[in-house]
Amino acid sequence: MSDNANIDDRYVVGVDYGTLSGRAVVVRVSDGAELGTAEHAYRHGVIDATLPATGETLPPDWALQDPDDYREVLKNAVPAALAAAGVPADRVVGIGTDFTACTFVPALRDGTPLCELPELRSRKHAYPKLWKHHAAQAHADRINALAHERKEPWIARYGGKISSEWQFAKALQVLEEDPEIFQRTERWIEAADWIIWQLCGQETRNVCTAGYKGIFQDGRYPSQEYLTALHPDFTSIVDKLDHPQSPLGDRAGGLTAEAAAWTGLPEGIAVAIGNVDAHVTSPAAQAIAPGQLVLIMGTSTCHVMNGETVAEVPGMCGVVYGGITAGMWGFEAGQSGVGDIFAWYVEHGVPAEYKALAEERGIGAHTLLSELAAEQPVGAHGLVALDWWNGNRSLLVDHELSGVLIGQTLATRAPDIYRALLESTAFGTRMIIEAFEEAGTPVTELVVAGGLLTNAVLMQIYADVTRRPLGLIGSAQGPALGSAIHAAVAAGCYPDVPTASAAMGSRSPHSYQPDTARADAYDKLYAEYRTLHDYFGRGGNDVLHRLRAIRNAAVSA
Amino acid sequence: MSDNANIDDRYVVGVDYGTLSGRAVVVRVSDGAELGTAEHAYRHGVIDATLPATGETLPPDWALQDPDDYREVLKNAVPAALAAAGVPADRVVGIGTDFTACTFVPALRDGTPLCELPELRSRKHAYPKLWKHHAAQAHADRINALAHERKEPWIARYGGKISSEWQFAKALQVLEEDPEIFQRTERWIEAADWIIWQLCGQETRNVCTAGYKGIFQDGRYPSQEYLTALHPDFTSIVDKLDHPQSPLGDRAGGLTAEAAAWTGLPEGIAVAIGNVDAHVTSPAAQAIAPGQLVLIMGTSTCHVMNGETVAEVPGMCGVVYGGITAGMWGFEAGQSGVGDIFAWYVEHGVPAEYKALAEERGIGAHTLLSELAAEQPVGAHGLVALDWWNGNRSLLVDHELSGVLIGQTLATRAPDIYRALLESTAFGTRMIIEAFEEAGTPVTELVVAGGLLTNAVLMQIYADVTRRPLGLIGSAQGPALGSAIHAAVAAGCYPDVPTASAAMGSRSPHSYQPDTARADAYDKLYAEYRTLHDYFGRGGNDVLHRLRAIRNAAVSA
């Protein structure tokens, strides 16, 4: 560890790879001050309608990306952030990144993505499948059914269900739909690790994605017997994945000359091991103690929390040793639609009068609706919603569920529905908290990161519904700051991530306190939410699945 | 009966009293031609927020009217219709009216409404309670519970439930909340009969409202024992109601000099016995044969149908001998929200882009959304709704239910929801049809009257969902024409209503035919509707009632 005099003039770069863009931030090592930032949008964005190379129409629920867009972030956002910070490049000592996950790249042995081979450019399965590629549900269903049938021990670590978003489901889809691409894939690699390969010129694998997205538990992948039973040709998946794994905060290597030229950073500086956008945020929020549940709230919400002991929580995304911070068990859960639902409602369900009023007052529609909604007592709207517009990631792990809204009358107005939607996501989070606690993992505090933390009405609802104090991350770009913290550790400026987090992260603790009267009132609505959750989500009435099947048949007829 | 030469130059006036206005039409007796029409809006409209005389805030779910607004229709709309028709007043031989029901007037022995007494002008219970006054549910609940406890035979005639909208629930509310008003009420009278009193100067009572709204069955009102058990002072209700009853189409009396001066019509012409807007429409639609279910579709839907024998249909509004046409059993059912729900959605749930597009194309928002919705195959929206935004009149007779919408995703758009709402009302009608048929009363044809018949998309959905041919009334003002038909009978121009209906009514039979493929597809969605209907409406999960109670407590806290 360097002394303070030194680190006061040392800097690290964090790069956060999101769904539509990458964002770089230049951070001072000594105190985490964010001195400059820049964003670069992916030229191809999310490829979900047609394949650019051929114009081929993609099937429903597909979502691909073009990996060269990731390199472009390094070439554009990093120099721009550096310029904005006014920091000389030679004072930068490390770079760290975080990525959406599971975003899964089929590549050659040298890291070349298959989609960059001219002869495979026209093959849709050659492209990275983005996290929200949802066309492998049938494959996930088989993975899960077989795991339970064979009583595979690892399935409990994932709450009983492997998601269709994850590596094995996506790879099995490739094998069955385009076996040649599967065979030609020499390395299946998370984008989180692929980008590190681009930076330091050698393959590394982080424990986080291997554990959460890759079914790597207790030192091994699923057995050959299991994989053979799934599909005789699927056993080679393990060879294509396998590699020594590195703890988060380790140094992956030194920045290559090529990557130094892209970024304008000094050759040879530390490149941190890859990481995931949600998990990397905990140290940025100074929230890595057991019981501190970090909610990264944006279009969707990821919940991450450290625990001292392993617990198998039904319906969780996963629990991975070292998955958030080395030496602790990292728990992950999630809600697949949060800000997305509010945005959907404002765009597709709110009449013009509210938008006109918001414009007149010079505020956004979300702000206006939140303020109007806040005026009413708990329960005055008479509504309850299930927040499944984009399926349910935890506890049900079911992307074929859909939204429910009950209690509308002719007197129901837009702020009523808006508030019911805000509340429904808080109820969803409370379900997750209760599942943690029922499995013996207490949750004592909520710490919110992500774009939605600026909505004070929403934050108060979360505090009231969960009866827990709620703190806020200090940074507007938590993942990028978290990546920078890992870069500082990889560069040797701090001995470990917790120490770096204490120095560079920030959090306003207890920004919101639960109100007892409102919490009591919410208990009644939550009880209704819970009953409907089980009725529609746990087999009481499988109507949402039948409606999805009817819809799919009608649309494809 | 007069000969044709005579009736070709004779005319009758029909006056339809709706919720917000009265409409008069001048009709030629020989063929039902509508020669002139005029509408007059009630000055006080629906009194549901504050009492005009005092500014007092009315409790939730109240709905009153000012009876002088009804007289104003006679003074304004009738002369205007006459002028528009260009018919000399002396050729008018009769006047008939129809009214919303149960709209219930507390009056003195001479017909003076209590609210017109200066000393009672400030008392809210002195005013007529409009049909949609929904604040007497607790009273209706007690009426029903006691009827079942005592096994009262009449309760089955009302499908097992007396509505909170009807006479006994409304009067019991007055007795318990303002006993002085109850005591001072010498005559409790339907507005349908009260307006006849204004026209001919003497009290009459029609069999229709006495039967459907007043628990008059087999020649008597509920017993004194029953009423005493309900409330010791409630027995006098029967004295305040009792009066010889007249069949529909009878002459109530001659037009008084005063009413002749109001209307510009000749003194002494026939005034027909009072009638109800829904029931009077059947003869106007030439749909009084058993099996012809008439749907009067507007803000709500009334279903009326004649049968040759009595049947006790669970959840029906009522069955009354002579209730639609003398000599037959008249069945009534209803849906308390139909066009109201569509209007609510367009006003409060449709984003600006659709209204802009409708304006650009010079069509209404309903037309645009219907056209867009019609483009999709059955089930493509993935949605099912329960049409309970305004409660459920049949089969559940429960005004404290509320709406349900399930299946929304981030891809759901306004035309999807609009279509699901249209379909939900068709499913509600199918529930009613099946209840009729299960009780041994076949339904062979739907005949639609009312404002919604112009929506071809909606009509086709009804034909498909119910698998029945659907005809349309020929008149745009069915109730007023029906009142005119009754006036012609009262004036002696025809021997009875069926004969007058054949000459003066009109209908386009089989305007829509069900499509087998779509009907098959709808069977699947209807099965889901039915399951949800029973779950939310028949005790599977009483959440809608609890949400209503939570809402009421929150709002009044």
Side-chain angles (χ1 to χ4, degrees):
Chain A
M1 182 181 173
S2 314
D3 63 351
N4 279 336
N6 270 345
I7 63 176
D8 265 353
D9 197 26
R10 288 187 183 179
Y11 303 89
V12 280
V13 173
V15 185
D16 168 43
Y17 282 93
T19 299
L20 293 169
S21 67
R23 176 184 295 269
V25 60
V26 177
V27 175
R28 186 159 57 207
V29 168
S30 59
D31 61 359
E34 296 165 19
L35 301 175
T37 184
E39 187 175 4
H40 182 75
Y42 304 149
R43 188 157 69 89
H44 301 91
V46 177
I47 301 171
D48 57 5
T50 55
L51 197 65
T54 60
E56 179 190 355
T57 300
L58 294 173
D61 299 324
W62 273 59
L64 307 177
Q65 290 199 317
D66 187 316
D68 196 51
D69 289 346
Y70 307 147
R71 290 191 198 98
E72 289 296 315
V73 171
L74 299 176
K75 295 177 189 171
N76 291 276
V78 175
L82 211 55
V87 164
D90 63 6
R91 304 299 166 91
V92 176
V93 297
I95 180 169
T97 62
D98 64 271
F99 230 101
T100 64
C102 161
T103 295
F104 202 37
V105 185
L108 296 181
R109 196 166 312 277
D110 66 357
T112 305
L114 259 56
C115 63
E116 295 187 350
L117 301 177
E119 74 274 22
L120 298 183
R121 194 94 189 120
S122 63
R123 300 274 278 275
K124 57 184 179 288
H125 279 292
Y127 287 76
K129 290 188 165 62
L130 184 62
W131 65 275
K132 67 176 177 178
H133 174 91
H134 281 153
Q137 187 61 52
H139 307 86
D141 291 345
R142 283 166 48 211
I143 287 169
N144 291 322
L146 186 64
H148 287 287
E149 188 187 315
R150 290 174 46 93
K151 303 197 194 326
E152 296 291 341
W154 44 262
I155 191 72
R157 292 278 169 86
Y158 301 97
K161 280 192 189 173
I162 298 299
S163 167
S164 73
E165 290 181 0
W166 298 347
Q167 295 179 7
F168 279 68
K170 281 173 167 155
L172 185 58
Q173 187 192 10
V174 176
L175 170 61
E176 299 194 339
E177 296 183 5
D178 194 344
E180 185 193 347
I181 295 292
F182 182 85
Q183 300 308 341
R184 291 197 58 178
T185 300
E186 294 166 344
R187 305 302 293 159
W188 277 111
I189 188 160
E190 279 280 337
D193 290 324
W194 181 85
I195 197 69
I196 301 304
W197 203 338
Q198 303 303 300
L199 286 166
C200 73
Q202 58 195 13
E203 182 180 353
T204 57
R205 301 267 172 161
N206 73 84
V207 296
C208 176
T209 50
Y212 290 112
K213 314 301 174 187
I215 324 189
F216 187 86
Q217 288 286 349
D218 298 327
R220 56 187 165 276
Y221 283 106
S223 68
Q224 294 290 305
E225 294 73 24
Y226 169 81
L227 295 170
T228 303
L230 210 50
H231 189 294
D233 298 336
F234 201 47
T235 52
S236 65
I237 181 74
V238 171
D239 296 332
K240 298 170 199 265
L241 288 171
D242 209 24
H243 191 277
Q245 290 174 21
S246 306
L248 305 178
D250 259 24
R251 185 176 185 278
L255 194 69
T256 62
E258 183 182 39
W262 292 343
T263 56
L265 297 177
E267 188 180 342
I269 62 167
V271 177
I273 282 294
N275 213 324
V276 175
D277 47 9
H279 305 69
V280 81
T281 303
S282 292
Q286 290 183 331
I288 54 176
Q292 289 184 306
L293 182 69
V294 179
L295 287 71
I296 301 96
M297 297 179 63
T299 55
S300 64
T301 291
C302 282
H303 307 72
V304 288
M305 181 172 70
N306 274 320
E308 285 172 354
T309 53
V310 67
E312 290 171 346
V313 188
M316 284 305 104
C317 300
V319 53
V320 172
Y321 188 69
I324 300 169
T325 315
M328 287 200 271
W329 287 91
F331 294 90
E332 182 191 349
Q335 289 172 270
S336 36
V338 180
D340 258 358
I341 301 178
F342 313 151
W344 171 87
Y345 183 63
V346 165
E347 193 171 349
H348 301 294
V350 172
E353 60 188 282
Y354 292 95
K355 291 185 185 167
L357 182 56
E359 201 163 308
E360 194 185 308
R361 292 179 46 190
I363 57 178
H366 287 280
T367 306
L368 175 71
L369 288 167
S370 298
E371 284 176 9
L372 294 174
E375 291 168 5
Q376 47 182 254
V378 175
H381 52 43
L383 303 170
V384 169
L386 294 178
D387 52 322
W388 298 345
W389 266 247
N390 200 24
N392 176 295
R393 192 178 297 158
S394 306
L395 314 171
L396 302 170
V397 201
D398 188 339
H399 293 293
E400 300 197 330
L401 292 172
S402 47
V404 169
L405 178 62
I406 74 167
Q408 296 101 315
T409 72
L410 297 177
T412 302
R413 295 293 175 269
D416 301 327
I417 294 177
Y418 189 78
R419 180 170 175 140
L421 294 175
L422 299 184
E423 291 169 348
S424 73
T425 67
F427 295 146
T429 283
R430 182 166 165 184
M431 291 289 290
I432 289 168
I433 291 171
E434 293 188 354
F436 273 124
E437 300 218 316
E438 282 160 23
T441 306
V443 176
T444 53
E445 181 188 352
L446 307 186
V447 181
V448 177
L452 292 180
L453 66 75
T454 60
N455 185 330
V457 176
L458 182 67
M459 294 300 101
Q460 189 61 56
I461 288 172
Y462 272 61
D464 291 338
V465 165
T466 64
R467 284 187 197 267
R468 279 167 177 80
L470 187 149
L472 303 180
I473 191 171
S475 169
Q477 32 218 1
L481 175 59
S483 290
I485 288 172
H486 284 78
V489 176
C493 301
Y494 293 101
D496 53 32
V497 173
T499 309
S501 164
M504 299 173 69
S506 68
R507 155 175 141 261
S508 316
H510 297 200
S511 301
Y512 296 87
Q513 289 288 347
D515 173 87
T516 306
R518 285 195 301 266
D520 289 347
Y522 273 129
D523 279 350
K524 294 199 184 87
L525 294 179
Y526 174 68
E528 303 299 351
Y529 175 95
R530 211 179 154 116
T531 302
L532 293 170
H533 174 282
D534 289 356
Y535 178 72
F536 285 111
R538 286 183 166 144
N541 181 351
D542 214 23
V543 55
L544 298 177
H545 288 133
R546 288 192 298 269
L547 287 177
R548 179 64 59 105
I550 289 169
R551 183 200 77 173
N552 291 349
V555 168
S556 66
Chain B
M1 182 183 175
S2 314
D3 63 348
N4 279 338
N6 269 346
I7 63 174
D8 265 353
D9 197 25
R10 288 184 182 180
Y11 304 88
V12 281
V13 173
V15 185
D16 168 43
Y17 282 94
T19 299
L20 293 169
S21 67
R23 176 184 293 270
V25 61
V26 177
V27 175
R28 186 159 56 206
V29 168
S30 59
D31 61 358
E34 296 164 20
L35 301 174
T37 183
E39 187 175 5
H40 183 74
Y42 303 150
R43 188 156 69 88
H44 301 90
V46 177
I47 302 170
D48 55 6
T50 57
L51 197 65
T54 61
E56 178 190 356
T57 300
L58 294 174
D61 299 326
W62 273 59
L64 308 176
Q65 290 199 316
D66 188 317
D68 196 51
D69 290 345
Y70 306 148
R71 291 191 197 96
E72 289 296 315
V73 171
L74 299 176
K75 294 175 188 172
N76 291 278
V78 175
L82 212 54
V87 164
D90 64 6
R91 305 297 167 89
V92 176
V93 297
I95 181 171
T97 63
D98 64 271
F99 230 102
T100 63
C102 160
T103 296
F104 202 37
V105 185
L108 297 180
R109 195 166 313 278
D110 66 358
T112 305
L114 259 57
C115 63
E116 296 188 350
L117 301 178
E119 74 274 20
L120 298 183
R121 195 92 188 121
S122 63
R123 299 273 280 274
K124 58 181 178 289
H125 278 291
Y127 288 74
K129 290 187 166 62
L130 184 62
W131 66 274
K132 66 177 177 176
H133 176 90
H134 282 152
Q137 187 61 51
H139 307 87
D141 291 345
R142 284 165 48 211
I143 287 169
N144 291 321
L146 185 63
H148 287 287
E149 187 187 315
R150 290 175 45 92
K151 303 196 193 326
E152 296 290 341
W154 44 262
I155 191 70
R157 291 278 170 85
Y158 302 97
K161 281 194 189 171
I162 299 299
S163 167
S164 74
E165 291 183 0
W166 298 348
Q167 295 178 7
F168 279 67
K170 281 173 167 155
L172 185 58
Q173 186 192 11
V174 175
L175 170 61
E176 301 194 339
E177 296 182 4
D178 195 344
E180 186 192 345
I181 295 292
F182 183 84
Q183 300 307 339
R184 290 196 60 177
T185 301
E186 293 168 343
R187 305 301 294 159
W188 277 113
I189 188 160
E190 280 280 337
D193 291 326
W194 180 85
I195 198 68
I196 301 303
W197 203 339
Q198 303 303 300
L199 286 166
C200 73
Q202 58 195 14
E203 182 181 351
T204 57
R205 300 268 174 159
N206 73 84
V207 296
C208 175
T209 50
Y212 289 110
K213 314 299 175 188
I215 325 189
F216 187 86
Q217 287 286 349
D218 299 328
R220 54 189 168 275
Y221 283 106
S223 69
Q224 294 290 306
E225 293 74 22
Y226 169 82
L227 295 170
T228 304
L230 210 49
H231 189 295
D233 297 336
F234 201 47
T235 52
S236 65
I237 182 73
V238 170
D239 295 332
K240 298 170 198 267
L241 288 171
D242 210 24
H243 191 278
Q245 289 174 20
S246 306
L248 305 177
D250 259 26
R251 186 177 184 278
L255 194 69
T256 63
E258 184 183 40
W262 292 342
T263 55
L265 298 176
E267 188 181 342
I269 62 166
V271 176
I273 282 294
N275 213 325
V276 175
D277 47 10
H279 305 69
V280 80
T281 303
S282 292
Q286 292 184 329
I288 53 177
Q292 289 183 307
L293 182 69
V294 179
L295 286 72
I296 301 95
M297 296 180 64
T299 55
S300 63
T301 291
C302 283
H303 307 72
V304 289
M305 181 172 69
N306 274 320
E308 284 172 355
T309 53
V310 68
E312 291 170 349
V313 187
M316 285 303 104
C317 300
V319 52
V320 172
Y321 188 67
I324 300 169
T325 315
M328 287 199 270
W329 287 91
F331 293 90
E332 183 190 349
Q335 289 171 271
S336 36
V338 180
D340 259 357
I341 302 178
F342 313 151
W344 170 88
Y345 183 63
V346 165
E347 195 170 349
H348 301 294
V350 172
E353 60 187 281
Y354 292 96
K355 292 185 184 166
L357 182 56
E359 202 162 306
E360 193 186 308
R361 292 179 44 189
I363 57 178
H366 287 280
T367 306
L368 175 71
L369 287 167
S370 298
E371 285 176 9
L372 294 174
E375 291 168 6
Q376 46 182 256
V378 175
H381 52 42
L383 303 169
V384 169
L386 293 177
D387 52 323
W388 300 345
W389 267 247
N390 200 24
N392 176 296
R393 193 179 294 156
S394 304
L395 314 171
L396 302 170
V397 201
D398 189 338
H399 293 293
E400 301 196 331
L401 292 172
S402 46
V404 170
L405 178 62
I406 73 168
Q408 295 101 316
T409 72
L410 298 176
T412 302
R413 295 293 175 270
D416 301 327
I417 295 178
Y418 189 78
R419 179 168 176 144
L421 294 175
L422 299 184
E423 291 168 348
S424 73
T425 68
F427 296 145
T429 283
R430 181 165 164 185
M431 292 289 290
I432 290 168
I433 290 171
E434 293 186 357
F436 273 125
E437 299 218 317
E438 281 160 23
T441 306
V443 176
T444 53
E445 182 188 352
L446 307 188
V447 181
V448 177
L452 291 181
L453 67 75
T454 59
N455 185 331
V457 176
L458 183 66
M459 294 300 101
Q460 187 62 54
I461 288 172
Y462 272 63
D464 291 338
V465 165
T466 65
R467 285 187 196 267
R468 279 167 176 80
L470 188 150
L472 304 179
I473 192 172
S475 169
Q477 32 218 359
L481 175 60
S483 290
I485 288 171
H486 285 78
V489 176
C493 301
Y494 293 101
D496 54 30
V497 173
T499 310
S501 164
M504 298 173 71
S506 68
R507 160 176 135 261
S508 316
H510 298 199
S511 301
Y512 296 87
Q513 290 288 348
D515 172 86
T516 305
R518 284 195 302 265
D520 290 347
Y522 273 129
D523 280 349
K524 294 200 185 84
L525 294 180
Y526 175 69
E528 304 298 350
Y529 175 95
R530 207 176 160 121
T531 302
L532 294 170
H533 174 283
D534 289 357
Y535 178 71
F536 285 110
R538 287 182 166 145
N541 181 353
D542 216 23
V543 55
L544 297 178
H545 288 133
R546 289 192 296 269
L547 287 178
R548 179 64 59 105
I550 290 169
R551 183 199 77 172
N552 291 348
V555 169
S556 67

